[in-house]
Amino acid sequence: MAVVQMLCATLIISLNVAPSLMAGIGSNVRRTPARILHPRLKRDNVGDTAQIPDVGDCQGCASSGSHAPYFSGQCFMCPVGTGGPTGPPGPQGVPGRDGRDGRDAPANAHVPDANDGGAGWGHEVRPTGSTGAGAIFVRWGRVDCPNSSVLVYRGVAGGAHYTHTGSGSNYMCMPEDPIYDEPIAGSSGQERGLLYGGEYQTDTFAQWNSLYQDDVPCAVCLAPNRQTLLMIPARNICPIGDGWVKEYSGYLVSEKFNHQGRTEFICMDRDPRPVPRSVHNSNGVLFFAVEGRCGSSGSGLPCGPYVDGYELTCAVCTM
């Protein structure tokens, strides 16, 4: 017990004497701020370390009277502060490039109808309730669509020249307002396929002889909510039942049998119209009525149901 009392007395004397001693020393020595060297801080020279900011520079980082752990001037153990105010809006971006026609059009875009008086593209509203899906077909010889469908675009018939053996072998409905993309003119067609307008060659077909040498119009139509399309040759009606709808009927046409250019057989509307003021006999791709050939030798259609030399009808049906 005497030993313990002696130690306590010594400790009290030390605590009372230490401040006066430190004050005396401090009067002759310039005091410098305390420094903390984090393990990841490097020494440039022996005894030279980075100055660490006081805890006052990072509130709440450490207890009062101590220094905060900093690395490269940043307090890496400080709590996350509250977010600052929202900055001002940035500058307006560069305008985007033009869209491709038709691809990004909204579902309720307008397309032309028969009463537009020459409007080219985009004027008729799809029927209410239409989803935009459906069967697509071409109505040859007309610029309007049946009541059961809507117009996508109108145009004129085009195809390869009847004397050419190359280029395409199909009729095409060419839009009234084409869009070109960096064309290169002046090749004279030497390294190109060639596409021409189309004409009626119907002077020997009584139903259409008034259209002889006129250009052929066309209309691309959408039959909403129907997914099946069928062109039936030699019939001008559609199957009965199962939801079949006749879009239009008429006569089969094609290129002439002995012309070098070959085309597909298509269905021309029974009541075709001309392209106004187009009589100029420039030929190009041609449209002739098609008649059947029957024979018992196996080279023709079966005689009886088919009559040799009769023009063949057709119907375009959807379901």
Side-chain angles (χ1 to χ4, degrees), residues 138-154:
V138 179
R139 190 181 191 185
W140 298 101
R142 299 290 290 263
V143 295
D144 59 334
C145 292
N147 293 333
S148 55
S149 61
V150 294
L151 189 66
V152 179
Y153 71 88
R154 63 176 59 165

Side-chain angles (χ1 to χ4, degrees), residues 41 50-53 57-58 69-76 78:
L41 288 177
Q51 179 68 40
I52 305 300
D57 296 329
C58 183
Y70 273 76
F71 177 64
S72 297
Q74 299 293 325
C75 178
F76 64 88
C78 295

Side-chain angles (χ1 to χ4, degrees), residues 233-234 251-254 265 288-295 299-303 305-313:
Y251 293 91
L252 279 181
V253 295
S254 73
F265 293 102
F288 290 81
V290 174
E291 62 182 40
R293 285 288 182 263
C294 71
S299 61
L301 298 168
C303 294
Y306 288 92
V307 179
D308 193 79
Y310 276 22
E311 288 80 15
L312 295 169
T313 59

Side-chain angles (χ1 to χ4, degrees), residues 24 36 49 53 57 81-82 90 130 135 159 176 184 193 207 210 215 264 304:
I36 296 177
T49 60
D57 296 329
T82 57
S130 171
E176 291 179 332
I184 301 175
Q207 289 90 325
S210 63
D215 288 354
E264 59 188 335

